[in-house]
Amino acid sequence: MFGDVDSYKNRENNNNYDETLVKLLEEKIEALTKEIDKLRQDLNWYKTELEKLLAPPYIEATILDILPDGKVIVRSSSGPNLVVNVATNVDVSKLKPGMSVALSQRGSTIIDILPNREDIIVKSFELIEKPNIHYSDIGGLEDQINELREVVELPLKNKKLFEELGIEPPKGVLLYGPPGTGKTMLAKAVAAESNATFIHVVASEFAQKFVGEGARIVREVFELARKKAPSIIFIDELDAIAARRIDIGTSGEREIQRTLMQLLAEIDGFKALDNVKIIAATNRIDILDPAILRPGRFDRLIEVPLPDEKGRKEIFKIYLQRMRINENDKLNYDLIAQLTDGFSGADIKNVCTEAGYMAIREGRESIKFQDIIRAIDKIKKKNLRKAINTRTEKYL
Ligand SMILES: Nc1ncnc2c1ncn2[C@@H]1O[C@H](COP(=O)(O)OP(=O)(O)OP(=O)(O)O)[C@@H](O)[C@H]1O
């Protein structure tokens, strides 16, 4: 009798044991299946990456003409004009002269239509139809503003006056001076006040971003400027392509030289009273190639120096008047202007921003005069550290 009860219990235990084991195994299978899926995904990813790495490069080409038999004449980026076929996955009816396409590695077949090159290049410039900066936003540069108004704004706005008087305004203006003194601001403000499109290009990017294409980009920038005229082309860091060169042996140097040549050709190619103006900026006028400064090119030089005490006071006023100052504090502009000898406009803006942060960090809703003094001290130390690092890095 008892034996029966025991065997029943044993069976019961065994059943429980089996159920637990089945559950465990099912869970294990589920986990492993998930892992297989994950590994399969990883494997596919590695396979496609490997394929991409091992795939031969395609050749970029521009369509010149589409022939009646469906073949296409292209100019390949590697040189000659070619008559090529079109792969079946490419819709022939979409092909048009001037379009960029990818050719198979052997250059015999169009295998893809590429996005419009001009769009890609143009997107990498800062193109502002009308910048939102005005002369009144700029402190301490009254003479520079007046000169720019005379040589850029007036000819753009009143071409007739110049034609009647028979005067030719300069084609290109070069702004030179230390970093952060407002050169870019000046160029943007003239564009805004002249209702001109502002095209901002950074010369160092010609060489870095578009290897082997600097000259072509210069051409496209000028084309774009003509299309969007009246316009101002602002070339920042001009020295990156226009520095005097003793040795042009390397291919990189030759490429920069070609870019410069194209820039000079473009400047020479338009008239002083066309409604495209060029403003360039540099911190290193001392190293510029004299060819760039010849009459008819960048022949109007405007120095944009560090602000003097009066200029610093004006810049402080521009920024601080927009900020909320503690009503019990009187701002001593003379003192802060005196304390910031050697500061650029950009440094002064940093001081104001830093003072604002000091108030925020201390949970205040307004800035105290003391914040500004502390911020000046902080920026001074930061600038000093930067100067020490620049002057000592060659010894480290
Ligand atoms: N004279 C100024 N008046 C008001 N703000 C200024 C002035 N100069 C500089 N700033 C401030 O500093 C910032 C940087 O100035 P900007 O880019 O015009 O200098 P930059 O001379 O073109 O410098 P870089 O040579 O480094 O390109 C401006 O956005 C502006 O906030």
Side-chain angles (χ1 to χ4, degrees):
M1 175 100 165
F2 286 122
D4 280 353
V5 171
D6 277 348
S7 73
Y8 176 78
K9 273 189 181 166
N10 269 343
R11 227 180 315 134
E12 179 91 314
N13 279 345
N14 278 344
N15 275 347
N16 279 346
Y17 175 76
D18 286 350
E19 260 173 44
T20 320
L21 188 66
V22 167
K23 225 184 215 158
L24 255 172
L25 289 174
E26 274 173 356
E27 278 169 13
K28 189 84 192 159
I29 289 170
E30 197 184 342
L32 286 171
T33 316
K34 274 190 187 148
E35 203 171 326
I36 290 174
D37 285 346
K38 163 92 184 39
L39 286 171
R40 216 170 256 144
Q41 276 175 14
D42 283 357
L43 179 68
N44 285 339
W45 185 84
Y46 284 113
K47 270 187 181 162
T48 40
E49 284 304 298
L50 186 67
E51 268 167 27
K52 275 193 230 166
L53 284 171
L54 295 178
Y58 301 136
I59 300 167
E60 186 209 345
T62 309
I63 297 183
L64 297 179
D65 203 0
I66 296 133
L67 302 174
D69 63 358
K71 290 201 167 154
V72 178
I73 306 180
V74 296
R75 181 188 304 126
S76 75
S77 54
S78 56
N81 291 353
L82 305 166
V83 179
V84 295
N85 294 311
V86 181
T88 43
N89 64 318
V90 176
D91 184 352
V92 186
S93 66
K94 284 197 177 140
L95 299 180
K96 291 195 177 53
M99 225 173 212
S100 282
V101 287
L103 300 184
S104 58
Q105 197 215 2
R106 297 176 63 205
S108 60
T109 312
I110 293 179
I111 52 168
D112 206 355
I113 299 175
L114 298 175
N116 193 340
R117 297 277 296 142
E118 192 185 322
D119 281 357
I120 299 174
I121 291 173
V122 167
K123 265 188 205 141
S124 52
F125 308 137
E126 190 191 355
L127 181 98
I128 312 174
E129 298 294 334
K130 193 168 173 279
N132 195 19
I133 288 192
H134 303 280
Y135 296 137
S136 56
D137 297 322
I138 306 173
L141 295 174
E142 208 179 317
D143 292 345
Q144 290 79 352
I145 291 174
N146 287 338
E147 199 166 349
L148 278 170
R149 294 194 72 171
E150 221 173 87
V151 297
V152 180
E153 186 186 328
L154 200 58
L156 279 176
K157 278 184 163 168
N158 203 345
K159 184 171 158 174
K160 227 165 152 218
L161 175 74
F162 282 79
E163 277 167 354
E164 279 166 10
L165 285 172
I167 351 172
E168 282 208 341
K171 288 188 201 171
V173 176
L174 179 67
L175 305 176
Y176 67 98
T181 44
K183 297 181 287 298
T184 310
M185 269 190 116
L186 279 169
K188 282 188 177 169
V190 194
E193 310 270 355
S194 322
N195 284 320
T197 309
F198 182 76
I199 304 173
H200 188 169
V201 288
V202 181
S204 56
E205 290 182 357
F206 282 163
Q208 285 158 12
K209 240 190 190 167
F210 311 103
V211 180
E213 294 194 286
R216 169 173 161 177
I217 292 172
V218 169
R219 217 177 314 127
E220 282 181 22
V221 170
F222 277 80
E223 236 171 73
L224 181 73
R226 274 188 280 266
K227 232 190 265 172
K228 298 262 177 193
S231 52
I232 289 177
I233 303 175
F234 177 62
I235 308 176
D236 207 356
E237 299 176 23
L238 180 70
D239 45 282
I241 53 165
R244 218 178 301 124
R245 273 179 189 77
I246 304 141
D247 168 27
I248 47 166
T250 67
S251 65
E253 295 280 308
R254 276 198 299 274
E255 149 75 2
I256 292 173
Q257 189 71 8
R258 268 198 301 274
T259 309
L260 175 61
M261 289 306 169
Q262 186 64 38
L263 175 65
L264 297 181
E266 292 290 345
I267 299 176
D268 292 347
F270 73 86
K271 297 191 198 82
L273 278 170
D274 278 351
N275 42 12
V276 175
K277 292 272 167 219
I278 320 158
I279 302 179
T282 182
N283 304 325
R284 297 295 315 271
I285 193 169
D286 54 311
I287 59 166
L288 289 189
D289 188 328
I292 197 105
L293 305 174
R294 259 184 228 141
R297 292 175 179 167
F298 289 100
D299 53 1
R300 181 65 67 106
L301 306 183
I302 301 181
E303 185 180 5
V304 187
L306 287 172
D308 58 10
E309 196 176 311
K310 184 170 158 277
R312 296 197 294 275
K313 201 166 149 181
E314 277 178 37
I315 302 173
F316 266 122
K317 275 193 181 153
I318 289 172
Y319 291 109
L320 291 176
Q321 273 166 5
R322 296 177 194 161
M323 302 173 88
R324 191 191 289 164
I325 309 292
N326 187 327
E327 54 195 23
N328 300 321
D329 280 25
K330 193 170 164 349
L331 297 182
N332 185 342
Y333 282 106
D334 288 323
L335 177 64
I336 51 181
Q338 281 157 17
L339 290 175
T340 45
D341 188 23
F343 275 37
S344 65
D347 292 331
I348 293 177
K349 189 188 178 193
N350 284 345
V351 166
C352 299
T353 312
E354 184 56 41
Y357 273 113
M358 285 175 177
I360 292 172
R361 272 182 226 126
E362 290 172 18
R364 279 180 278 119
E365 286 178 357
S366 60
I367 293 160
K368 290 187 194 162
F369 185 61
Q370 192 195 26
D371 296 328
I372 303 165
I373 302 288
R374 278 160 60 204
I376 290 175
D377 188 50
K378 189 166 174 184
I379 302 291
K380 217 173 230 181
K381 283 185 182 140
K382 208 160 136 189
N383 285 353
L384 184 67
R385 218 172 305 128
K386 208 156 77 185
I388 292 174
N389 286 345
T390 330
R391 297 180 70 173
T392 53
E393 70 191 349
K394 63 176 176 230
Y395 303 109
L396 299 174

